[in-house]
């Protein structure tokens, strides 16, 4: 008789699979930091030493060795706390909250990338969930990162589905800030031992994105991480994302206009095909089962820096004028576009600026794409 696989063994297999997909990571650090609203200190494994790749054509490149950081000012935070906090989130997100279960895996995952979908299975918001220590009065305790100007809408959405679940929801955007931190090759992260009110973990999406750091408002990463400085280029983090082809926020993922796999949620560890039901699951599961993903978000390289920004949803077209993609953002000579996969190698692609001028673009498939899926 073949025994049924237990939930714990399924989650262990899922976690091990995610570790194998991050085989480029190396080094380790375990620290412990405390939040003012947590009963205990939070163990924070940092199980990745991530390489920051310099680009000689990018003015954001830093020549000095050391950690580079930047406050991600467009991102905000909200807190979900209470006995039913996990259950509330589990029914609304594409990923599996059990990946944050300390009983199943106490040292691997402290944060989780996921999406919130509408009833039609289209993306509303991308989020990162941070597991905090148990609140001594209210129990389960999580932070959710999303676009700062969308925090109120996300709160409203969560309250809509809370019903009788015991969970409290608060905006934390005024109390805390989100930072991105990247390191040079072969350098270990060191955190000042006298600093608190901090959460540090590798970015759960792609190795080259570095670390995600949450600080109390008014504190800088350079105050906490040893040998760390703030990036000189105010667009350093955005350019890093665009080079890697990682979308973030409602600019790159307009609400209701793309599906999770088109946003590369499967390649970014943002969707679980093993968990139970959640809002929008049916179409996501069917798409994964049939393998019918014809479009994906991809990085673009423009032939020149753009002063005239294209209008929203500008078309990416081939030499015949046929639309093969939709622009999802431009920074200098870098772009993101929802592209037809079969057209991504076309060398005749172009976009039109707001004045109607054509600018050549080149699409590419990121190296972190994994055709085996999560």
């Amino acid at each position: 008789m073949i025994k049924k696989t237990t939930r714990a063994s399924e989650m262990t297999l899922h976690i091990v699979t995610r570790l194998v997909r991050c085989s480029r990571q190396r080094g380790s650090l375990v620290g412990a930091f405390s939040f003012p609203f947590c009963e205990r200190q939070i163990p924070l494994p940092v199980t990745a030493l991530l390489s920051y790749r310099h680009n000689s054509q990018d003015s954001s490149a830093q020549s000095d060795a050391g950690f580079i950081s930047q406050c991600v000012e467009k991102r905000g935070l909200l807190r979900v706390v209470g006995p039913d906090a996990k259950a509330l989130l589990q029914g609304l997100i594409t990923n599996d909250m059990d990946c944050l279960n300390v009983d199943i895996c106490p040292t691997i995952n402290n944060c989780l990338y996921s999406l919130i979908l509408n009833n039609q299975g289209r993306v509303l918001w991308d989020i990162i969930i941070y597991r905090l220590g148990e609140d001594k009065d209210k129990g389960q305790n999580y932070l959710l990162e999303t676009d700062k100007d969308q925090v109120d809408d996300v709160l409203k959405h969560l309250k809509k589905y809370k019903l009788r679940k015991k969970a409290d929801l608060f905006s934390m955007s005024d109390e805390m800030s989100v930072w991105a931190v990247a390191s040079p090759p072969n350098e270990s992260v060191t955190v000042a031992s006298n600093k608190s009110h901090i959460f540090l973990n590798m970015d759960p999406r792609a190795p080259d994105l570095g670390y995600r750091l949450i600080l109390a408002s008014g504190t800088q990463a350079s105050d906490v991480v040893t040998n760390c400085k703030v990036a000189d280029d105010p667009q350093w983090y955005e350019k890093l994302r665009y080079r890697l082809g990682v979308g973030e926020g409602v600019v790159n993922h307009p609400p209701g206009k793309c599906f999770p796999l088109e946003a590369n949620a499967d390649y970014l560890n943002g969707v679980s095909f093993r968990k139970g039901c959640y809002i929008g699951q049916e179409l996501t599961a069917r798409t994964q089962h049939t393998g019918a993903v014809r479009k994906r978000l991809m990085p673009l390289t423009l032939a020149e820096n753009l002063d005239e920004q294209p209008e929203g949803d500008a078309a990416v077209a081939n030499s015949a004028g046929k639309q093969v993609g939709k622009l999802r953002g431009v920074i200098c000579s870098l772009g993101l576009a929802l592209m037809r996969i079969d057209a991504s190698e076309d060398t005749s692609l172009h976009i039109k600026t707001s004045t109607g001028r054509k600018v050549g673009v080149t699409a590419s498939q990121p190296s972190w794409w994994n055709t085996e899926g999560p």
Side-chain angles (χ1 to χ4, degrees), residues 79-107:
R79 182 186 175 205
V80 183
V81 58
D84 297 327
K86 175 184 172 183
L88 171 61
L89 296 173
Q90 182 77 328
L92 295 175
I93 67 171
T94 57
N95 217 328
D96 195 338
M97 290 294 292
D98 279 344
C99 290
L100 297 176
N101 190 332
V102 69
D103 296 324
I104 294 176
C105 185
T107 60

Side-chain angles (χ1 to χ4, degrees), residues 9 56 113 159 200 221 321 374:
S9 62
S56 60
Y113 177 63
K159 289 175 181 178
L200 174 66

Side-chain angles (χ1 to χ4, degrees), residues 68-233:
I68 305 166
S69 65
Q70 190 163 78
C71 182
V72 190
E73 296 181 353
K74 294 181 180 179
R75 302 291 277 182
L77 294 160
L78 58 101
R79 182 186 175 205
V80 183
V81 58
D84 297 327
K86 175 184 172 183
L88 171 61
L89 296 173
Q90 182 77 328
L92 295 175
I93 67 171
T94 57
N95 217 328
D96 195 338
M97 290 294 292
D98 279 344
C99 290
L100 297 176
N101 190 332
V102 69
D103 296 324
I104 294 176
C105 185
T107 60
I108 291 180
N109 294 308
N110 280 293
C111 61
L112 189 73
Y113 177 63
S114 190
L115 302 173
I116 296 177
L117 312 180
N118 63 17
N119 292 330
Q120 291 73 45
R122 294 178 180 270
V123 176
L124 290 177
W125 304 285
D126 61 296
I127 61 173
I128 297 179
I129 301 174
Y130 302 91
R131 185 191 73 203
L132 305 181
E134 293 284 315
D135 185 282
K136 61 182 179 182
D137 297 319
K138 299 184 179 181
Q140 299 168 6
N141 198 5
Y142 302 96
L143 285 178
L144 271 64
E145 174 194 324
T146 190
D147 271 13
K148 184 175 289 186
D149 59 5
Q150 295 292 309
V151 166
D152 289 343
D153 289 338
V154 176
L155 281 171
K156 182 179 179 180
H157 186 79
L158 295 179
K159 289 175 181 178
K160 175 182 176 181
Y161 289 96
K162 191 182 83 165
L163 302 176
R164 295 185 178 181
K165 292 184 177 67
K166 296 179 180 179
D168 294 325
L169 311 169
F170 310 96
S171 172
M172 300 297 293
S173 296
D174 293 335
E175 290 81 6
M176 294 183 173
S177 59
V178 179
W179 287 73
V181 181
S183 71
N186 305 317
E187 184 169 337
S188 299
V189 61
T190 304
V191 179
S193 59
N194 61 339
K195 298 297 180 180
S196 60
H197 311 304
I198 177 177
F199 190 103
L200 174 66
N201 209 98
M202 68 180 188
D203 193 301
R205 296 170 292 181
D208 289 340
L209 281 173
Y211 303 109
R212 221 57 175 180
L213 175 65
I214 297 178
L215 298 175
S217 295
T219 306
Q220 292 197 341
S222 56
D223 299 330
V224 175
V225 178
T226 304
N227 193 25
C228 178
K229 67 176 184 178
V230 176
D232 297 330
D233 187 344

